[in-house]
Amino acid sequence: MSSDEYSIRVNGLGKCYEIYATPRDRLKQFIIPPIQRLVGREPSSYCREYWALENISFDIRKGEAFGIVGRNGSGKSTLLQLITGTIAPTVGTVETRGRVAALLELGSGFNPEFTGRDNVYLNAMLLGMTHDEVDERFDKIAAFADIGDYLDQPVKTYSSGMLVRLAFAVQVQIEPDILIVDEALAVGDALFQKRCFGRIEKLLSDGVTLLFVSHDQESVRTLTNRAILLKGGREVSMGSASQVLLDYRKLLHQEESDYFSKLMQPAADKVPAPAPAPAPQSADSNASSEGGTAPESSESSEKSQAAAVSGRADQMSFGDGGVEVLSVGTFGADDEPCAVFYPGDVIRIRVNCVSHIDTDSINVGVRIRSREGIKIYSWGTLNQDMQVLAGLREGELFWKRQLKAGEQFHVWLECDCSLGSNLYEIQASISYEGKPDYTAQRILHWKDEAAFFQTLMRQDEYFFGGISDLHMAARW
């Protein structure tokens, strides 16, 4: 990538903090090591180093939307502060091209004693706008913030939501080349968030570069093209947003499993780790009894292709093991395989599974996502069990079904097609539910891209726009 094509370039970035046990050690570190260097002695250290960020490198193209994900304490905010220049790196370099607008912390740059109106002028002028430019755009800023008479009240009287409204309204009106947003929008109400995301999408269409941090995976998937996953200040994964979010879910699952295995040892004992897969045969196993090497047959070629497919499937799945999703298929009302549906059709999803252990308390579920990565719907056998337990419907509880080791079984999930025209992905999962209410869940097997189907319209018979059919009717 040439230097003219990027907006942000991060190379070998790291930030180290010195941690002192007592204030006295801080004073010693300031005085004694310089004296020791002057007399030619090895300097002593009275602190320990904490690397909040270490060896991070990436480039972001102009007009690209880039996401940063990770748990609290993973280094996300530190990385953004380094990029915006509010703190200096210990090692490495950061280059940015163009005007940067950053929404990092609530009220950063605001004087709590000033009114909202005064802070608009102060903040905008600090960001490079003239007084006349602020006058020209003030009405747009006030309309976007939509805080009414509070605009002339001191900022210290604002709620966190009002504060972020005003801060975001100022940032997006300076016409930035780079917009950096760090989780601040999470405090806004649903209507304001919708307005913010609409504004962000408008900026992206105008060629603004977006650096976006959020714990909301669907927002990251929808807004960004690429992403990076951080853990403990280091890069875990970087690539397409969908792949990085899958790695993020795997990371969260692993950490959650480690946590609950300590709290729920009885349940953990019921769901042991799966037996290791048999080791692949070595090349020597293809040798003939005379010691020669047999030529690769069509059968071995098919096995190689199957192994490649299996490797892809392994990358798209995770879980503690014990019970496994073998395959997922979509069928029509006549039980024939079908991958294309129309509004009003019946969609039948068959999830084929195998249990490697004796267990109960199982939930088999699916999640449906659109081609754009937006979650449309999620549902499982436990949802139906909860209705039975609440007395809303009759039937047996799948949650109480006793599974035996080696038992293969399947679950049918059925619904009427009310989806708009699109390509949809089915994710399948099997979870152990310690309680029949989703409050004590452990993922045994999760499978992305388990199946796909498409919905179309018979436009001359039945047509609607959007992602779902609300079965609207007109009356006059």
Side-chain angles (χ1 to χ4, degrees):
M1 185 189 303
S2 68
S3 59
D4 293 333
E5 294 178 349
Y6 71 85
S7 286
I8 301 173
R9 174 165 286 177
V10 174
N11 184 29
L13 198 61
K15 180 63 179 178
C16 181
Y17 292 97
E18 295 179 343
I19 309 298
Y20 298 92
T22 64
R24 181 182 301 174
D25 288 339
R26 184 184 294 273
L27 182 62
K28 289 180 181 179
Q29 183 70 27
F30 181 74
I31 297 175
I32 298 177
I35 297 176
Q36 291 175 325
R37 292 190 187 95
L38 285 176
V39 298
R41 292 178 55 187
E42 184 72 20
S44 303
S45 177
Y46 298 92
C47 65
R48 64 180 180 86
E49 293 184 342
Y50 169 70
W51 285 88
L53 209 65
E54 193 170 0
N55 194 29
I56 303 297
S57 300
F58 57 82
D59 291 343
I60 303 178
R61 299 179 181 86
K62 289 182 179 179
E64 184 180 9
F66 191 85
I68 303 175
V69 294
R71 296 197 62 197
N72 292 334
S74 62
K76 304 187 302 298
S77 296
T78 301
L79 176 57
L80 294 190
Q81 289 175 329
L82 290 167
I83 291 174
T84 56
T86 55
I87 60 175
T90 305
V91 295
T93 59
V94 179
E95 299 177 58
T96 59
R97 291 179 173 269
R99 176 182 284 180
V100 179
L103 199 63
L104 300 183
E105 297 178 7
L106 293 179
S108 57
F110 281 8
N111 187 321
E113 301 297 331
F114 289 2
T115 66
R117 184 183 299 271
D118 293 335
N119 272 293
V120 166
Y121 280 89
L122 173 64
N123 203 246
M125 294 174 73
L126 286 174
L127 292 169
M129 294 175 65
T130 65
H131 195 283
D132 290 340
E133 287 176 328
V134 183
D135 283 339
E136 184 180 328
R137 304 180 192 183
F138 184 84
D139 288 343
K140 291 182 179 179
I141 294 173
F144 195 97
D146 192 21
I147 58 175
D149 294 338
Y150 280 97
L151 193 60
D152 292 308
Q153 298 297 321
V155 165
K156 64 182 180 182
T157 65
Y158 286 13
S159 67
S160 58
M162 294 166 60
L163 202 58
V164 76
R165 279 173 176 265
L166 194 60
F168 188 83
V170 174
Q171 296 287 353
V172 296
Q173 287 298 329
I174 69 169
E175 297 180 356
D177 299 298
I178 301 171
L179 177 62
I180 300 176
V181 181
D182 179 16
E183 200 61 56
L185 301 184
V187 301
D189 57 56
L191 183 60
F192 179 70
Q193 287 185 16
K194 179 180 180 296
R195 192 181 306 166
C196 290
F197 287 131
R199 181 62 178 171
I200 289 174
E201 290 175 350
K202 173 65 168 58
L203 291 171
L204 288 174
S205 67
D206 292 340
V208 173
T209 302
L210 173 67
L211 194 56
F212 185 70
V213 174
S214 178
H215 291 291
D216 183 353
Q217 297 183 36
E218 298 303 324
S219 296
V220 174
R221 188 190 310 279
T222 303
L223 285 176
T224 66
N225 312 112
R226 290 195 302 137
I228 184 172
L229 170 60
L230 300 178
K231 178 184 178 182
R234 299 192 176 195
E235 175 190 327
V236 175
S237 173
M238 183 162 59
S240 67
S242 58
Q243 180 59 50
V244 170
L245 288 174
L246 175 61
D247 294 336
Y248 185 33
R249 295 205 306 275
K250 290 181 179 180
L251 176 65
L252 292 175
H253 164 75
Q254 184 59 52
E255 294 185 358
E256 184 181 40
S257 296
D258 294 343
Y259 173 75
F260 280 110
S261 64
K262 298 176 183 178
L263 299 182
M264 301 175 61
Q265 194 59 45
D269 292 340
K270 291 188 66 176
V271 189
Q281 291 185 340
S282 66
D284 293 339
S285 64
N286 288 328
S288 65
S289 57
E290 287 80 8
T293 303
E296 184 178 6
S297 65
S298 60
E299 181 180 354
S300 63
S301 177
E302 291 175 359
K303 288 181 178 180
S304 298
Q305 294 176 4
V309 173
S310 175
R312 166 68 176 171
D314 290 343
Q315 293 176 6
M316 303 303 291
S317 64
F318 61 89
D320 290 343
V323 188
E324 178 185 357
V325 175
L326 295 177
S327 63
V328 176
T330 56
F331 298 79
D334 55 1
D335 287 347
E336 292 295 322
C338 181
V340 178
F341 299 91
Y342 294 86
D345 288 352
V346 174
I347 301 176
R348 305 191 71 208
I349 302 172
R350 175 169 165 151
V351 184
N352 300 307
C353 316
V354 61
S355 180
H356 303 294
I357 58 172
D358 296 339
T359 188
D360 56 5
S361 307
I362 294 300
N363 171 47
V364 178
V366 295
R367 175 189 287 181
I368 298 175
R369 288 196 328 201
S370 69
R371 177 176 52 196
E372 295 78 18
I374 299 172
K375 181 174 75 172
I376 304 298
Y377 188 70
S378 60
W379 199 86
T381 55
L382 188 63
N383 296 73
Q384 182 166 298
D385 290 341
M386 291 168 69
Q387 291 180 311
V388 174
L389 291 171
L392 301 178
R393 66 185 301 166
E394 296 181 351
E396 297 181 358
L397 296 181
F398 186 84
W399 185 71
K400 289 187 175 181
R401 176 171 173 173
Q402 299 289 330
L403 298 175
K404 300 297 182 182
E407 178 182 351
Q408 292 196 21
F409 63 98
H410 64 265
V411 171
W412 286 98
L413 304 173
E414 183 177 305
C415 66
D416 291 332
C417 179
S418 59
L419 298 171
S421 295
N422 209 331
L423 175 69
Y424 296 93
E425 172 198 349
I426 298 176
Q427 300 171 321
S429 66
I430 301 177
S431 56
Y432 177 87
E433 307 289 344
K435 300 178 181 178
D437 55 11
Y438 285 110
T439 61
Q441 182 183 79
R442 296 182 61 204
I443 299 296
L444 306 185
H445 192 204
W446 179 288
K447 195 170 186 177
D448 272 17
E449 299 184 5
F452 294 88
F453 68 91
Q454 189 175 9
T455 58
L456 301 176
M457 293 278 183
R458 296 186 177 96
Q459 298 199 13
D460 57 341
E461 299 178 15
Y462 192 93
F463 177 79
F464 64 89
I467 62 174
S468 180
D469 183 6
L470 299 182
H471 301 285
M472 193 169 287
R475 192 171 58 178
W476 56 88

